[in-house]
Amino acid sequence: MKNNVQIKPRPTVWKRTLRCACAGLFVAGLFGAVNAQTILSADEVRRVVGQAVAEAKARNVAATIAVVDRPGNVLAVYQMNGAAENVTVTSNRGIAQGNGLEQQPVPASFAAIAKAITGNYLSSGGNSFSTRVASQIVQEHFNPGEFNQPAGPLFGVQFSQLQCSEVTSEVGSQGPKGSPLGLSADPGGFPLYRGGQVIGGVGVIADGLYSLDNSISDIDQSIDELVALAATRGFGAPEVLSQITLDGKLVRFSDAEHKDLRTSSVDSLAGGRFVPVAGFFTGSVKAGVAFGSIQSGFVVSDAFGVPAVVLGDRFPIRAGTDAAALTENEVRVLISNALRVAMRARAQIRNPADSGARVSISVVDSNGIILGIARTPDAPIFGTDVSLQKARTAAFFSRADAGQKLIDAGQQHFVNALRSFVSPTALADGIAFSDRAGGNLSRPFYPDGIDGNPNGPLSFPFEVWSPFNVGLQFNLIGIDRLISAAPGCTSIPNLANGIQIFPGSVPIYRGGQLIGGIGVSGDGVDQDDMISFLGLHNAGVELGGAINNADPAIRADTLSPQGVRLRYINCPQAPFIDSIEASPCAGK
């Protein structure tokens, strides 16, 4: 098969790509101006809260309600009289306290904020996802309740957007902002829209449990979801954006419908108060920040030769810190090529169906140092932090000293399990690990989804496993760091914002030497795989072979633990908008 050379989109493709980009982001914002229509006013914030309070009163429940803007600033946290100060984390499977977050009490305000951020960050101008969708895509099966099915496509994403990540920022500074509990899988969180664009999110907790939906086979009447749906009146997602399929399965946006609501009014907000939440909300309602402004943290950049968005001046392109390090120019060329692949790739979770993928891209060196972060316009915000987690995970697990670093961090159990399961030299032999390969080993059933099988070595047995207790990913963080704003989500500097265990990353090599990792997150996990892999390959071609993917001889898909071959990447078939090429990753 002939080598894939750097691809320069044809003018007609550019027109089509830009048209899709503009459908998912205000046109002015694409070229650097700020769109005031993305701002939630203080009065609108009070309206959202008041609509939720009216519905809660009609149902005789006391709720805690949070509203956030697009970059994740908390604009309001309202607690009705009688609302519980704390709620209990549970997967509804009877797992005892002491297993991750299971049975832990957490502030109701944290739960409401996490729900609001989740609906906001998972959504875009091309898709609308709620916390019910999050529940559907992070469990041991996709769909939940369907036995002998693979795990959810965003398995592990719940442990992202943490306050301890250097991508998330402090109150009053540029975004994106962190979530006190990561991303939420508890129904009751929705995005807020105006004119087809996401302008924020709302989250509600009233039932006392921070939980998830274990089965998709029925229709629930969730109090949290009903109250949150009432809050979105006038700011609801366009229906077409919630009609998204994943692997041929329709996502479940909401079990609540407007016909189920008992109110159509705005409450006066008597019988409750806006409450301060340390690190998130001062107690006074405020307006949102215009998305695309310097204050939002997301600004247009012309540094890559294609439309791109960066995090202001927070993470400028830089050279690596390790031996044979990536140069500043190589990082720029790498990100540019990944952006170009994304704009040609057909998105999986976006309408219209021929839209180009919208993703975030991060590049790190082998020490986990950030060398550059860029996004296509209208990429879902959650991918900003996740792409960095993915890049760091690929670089770290491909190091020859990864096992020792994990042992030094108190994770000997998982290293021993991996070496027993895979090879006595695992994490010491320089095998190249992608997130897909590491994710194969991080599921509660191995092979993935086969009920009754033992767990992978980086997971826990299913008897104690849950999305709140996943294994190494959570244990590296722990409860204290999860809810802390102190920098550093793990004790391993290479993994400063934690690891990620769903696909979308590859390590970077110069010849046979590991020099970093690239992570991609956005509009579909197979697309993420392809964009990272082909972006690196194409950059290597442009740079005359100076950088490249791992030699096939050392890739993790050469391993067959327990007789089952790991996968390295999984590229979609015929993935491009402008080409009928069927297998662009083959032979590379």
Side-chain angles (χ1 to χ4, degrees):
M1 185 172 187
K2 66 180 181 179
N3 290 333
N4 185 27
V5 298
Q6 181 191 10
I7 297 169
K8 296 181 179 178
R10 308 168 196 157
T12 53
V13 175
W14 274 106
K15 292 177 183 177
R16 194 173 186 181
T17 303
L18 288 173
R19 185 193 72 222
C20 295
C22 294
L25 184 73
F26 46 87
V27 178
L30 187 59
F31 295 100
V34 175
N35 186 348
Q37 293 302 306
T38 62
I39 300 175
L40 268 169
S41 71
D43 285 343
E44 288 175 327
V45 173
R46 292 186 184 92
R47 174 183 165 189
V48 169
V49 173
Q51 290 177 155
V53 171
E55 186 69 23
K57 287 183 176 179
R59 295 180 177 277
N60 198 31
V61 296
T64 299
I65 302 143
V67 180
V68 301
D69 68 4
R70 185 60 171 144
N73 299 292
V74 179
L75 308 181
V77 178
Y78 182 88
Q79 191 173 71
M80 296 174 64
N81 291 345
E85 292 289 336
N86 293 306
V87 296
T88 301
V89 180
T90 178
S91 62
N92 302 311
R93 291 184 46 235
I95 299 174
Q97 190 171 24
N99 293 287
L101 291 177
E102 289 282 353
Q103 305 304 317
Q104 286 289 328
V106 296
S109 58
F110 280 15
I113 291 170
K115 290 186 181 190
I117 285 178
T118 301
N120 175 36
Y121 278 9
L122 289 181
S123 300
S124 71
N127 73 290
S128 184
F129 282 4
S130 64
T131 51
R132 184 172 290 279
V133 175
S135 176
Q136 186 179 355
I137 59 181
V138 301
Q139 296 191 51
E140 72 276 12
H141 294 306
F142 181 65
N143 283 312
E146 296 179 3
F147 298 131
N148 295 314
Q149 295 295 320
L154 266 63
F155 183 96
V157 76
Q158 62 270 30
F159 294 116
S160 67
Q161 327 305 316
L162 305 180
Q163 300 176 79
C164 50
S165 168
E166 71 268 56
V167 169
T168 59
S169 57
E170 298 175 355
V171 172
S173 57
Q174 298 175 7
K177 297 299 190 295
S179 168
L181 296 173
L183 293 182
S184 174
D186 188 16
F190 290 110
L192 300 172
Y193 278 77
R194 179 186 288 117
Q197 303 303 320
V198 189
I199 58 174
V202 60
V204 172
I205 187 87
D207 64 3
L209 299 178
Y210 187 71
S211 187
L212 45 78
D213 184 4
N214 301 90
S215 175
I216 201 169
S217 64
D218 58 2
I219 301 296
D220 298 324
Q221 283 290 293
S222 163
I223 289 294
D224 295 355
E225 195 169 52
L226 287 160
V227 174
L229 183 65
T232 69
R233 193 180 293 112
F235 303 95
E239 185 175 358
V240 67
L241 299 186
S242 62
Q243 301 297 307
I244 302 292
T245 59
L246 289 168
D247 294 334
K249 300 177 181 182
L250 188 68
V251 300
R252 182 76 70 84
F253 182 69
S254 176
D255 278 2
E257 299 183 42
H258 284 281
K259 65 180 178 59
D260 301 322
L261 302 181
R262 296 178 181 176
T263 61
S264 58
S265 59
V266 179
D267 190 83
S268 66
L269 300 184
R273 65 188 183 98
F274 291 98
V275 295
V277 181
F280 292 95
F281 179 59
T282 64
S284 298
V285 175
K286 60 182 180 180
V289 172
F291 194 63
S293 67
I294 291 292
Q295 292 78 13
S296 76
F298 295 89
V299 296
V300 170
S301 169
D302 60 1
F304 304 102
V306 293
V309 174
V310 297
L311 300 183
D313 58 1
R314 295 177 58 202
F315 303 107
I317 300 298
R318 57 166 294 181
T321 64
D322 42 10
L326 283 159
T327 67
E328 183 177 323
N329 181 59
E330 287 172 337
V331 174
R332 184 175 289 105
V333 170
L334 175 52
I335 292 176
S336 176
N337 275 277
L339 288 167
R340 291 177 186 275
V341 174
M343 297 180 81
R344 297 183 61 224
R346 186 176 292 105
Q348 183 179 65
I349 57 168
R350 181 171 291 267
N351 282 326
D354 65 346
S355 298
R358 300 290 176 255
V359 300
S360 297
I361 300 162
S362 293
V363 175
V364 301
D365 67 13
S366 64
N367 297 315
I369 302 299
I370 300 172
L371 307 185
I373 298 176
R375 312 168 66 251
T376 56
D378 197 41
I381 290 179
F382 84 93
T384 316
D385 185 59
V386 168
S387 67
L388 180 58
Q389 288 181 320
K390 289 182 179 183
R392 283 175 165 162
T393 304
F396 176 79
F397 282 89
S398 301
R399 292 175 61 107
D401 61 353
Q404 188 58 54
K405 285 182 176 292
L406 288 171
I407 291 169
D408 293 344
Q411 306 301 324
Q412 176 104 42
H413 163 79
F414 293 104
V415 175
N416 290 347
L418 186 70
R419 289 175 174 171
S420 174
F421 199 87
V422 177
S423 162
T425 60
L427 302 185
D429 50 17
I431 290 291
F433 270 90
S434 62
D435 263 23
R436 185 176 290 274
N440 290 166
L441 301 167
S442 302
R443 303 311 195 247
F445 303 113
Y446 184 87
D448 185 18
I450 307 301
D451 291 83
N453 275 14
N455 56 288
L458 303 182
S459 179
F460 286 130
F462 185 63
E463 290 72 23
V464 295
W465 178 94
S466 81
F468 303 116
N469 188 44
V470 294
L472 176 64
Q473 184 191 33
F474 176 80
N475 279 30
L476 279 168
I477 302 167
I479 294 173
D480 291 341
R481 285 193 178 95
L482 181 76
I483 61 175
S484 170
C489 295
T490 81
S491 62
I492 303 175
N494 311 62
L495 302 172
N497 66 328
I499 68 171
Q500 198 45 258
I501 53 177
F502 70 95
S505 69
V506 292
I508 304 166
Y509 289 81
R510 191 183 305 283
Q513 185 168 353
L514 176 71
I515 58 171
I518 177 172
V520 177
S521 188
D523 283 350
V525 296
D526 290 352
Q527 284 76 7
D528 296 347
D529 258 2
M530 179 182 71
I531 293 163
S532 61
F533 182 79
L534 284 186
L536 175 53
H537 174 83
N538 292 354
V541 172
E542 180 175 338
L543 293 165
I547 61 174
N548 43 53
N549 280 291
D551 187 297
I554 65 166
R555 294 177 189 171
D557 60 2
T558 60
L559 305 175
S560 297
Q562 314 301 306
V564 179
R565 188 173 181 179
L566 297 181
R567 290 188 294 167
Y568 192 66
I569 59 162
N570 191 43
C571 290
Q573 290 293 303
F576 296 128
I577 298 169
D578 65 327
S579 167
I580 61 172
E581 184 179 7
S583 303
C585 298
K588 296 179 177 62

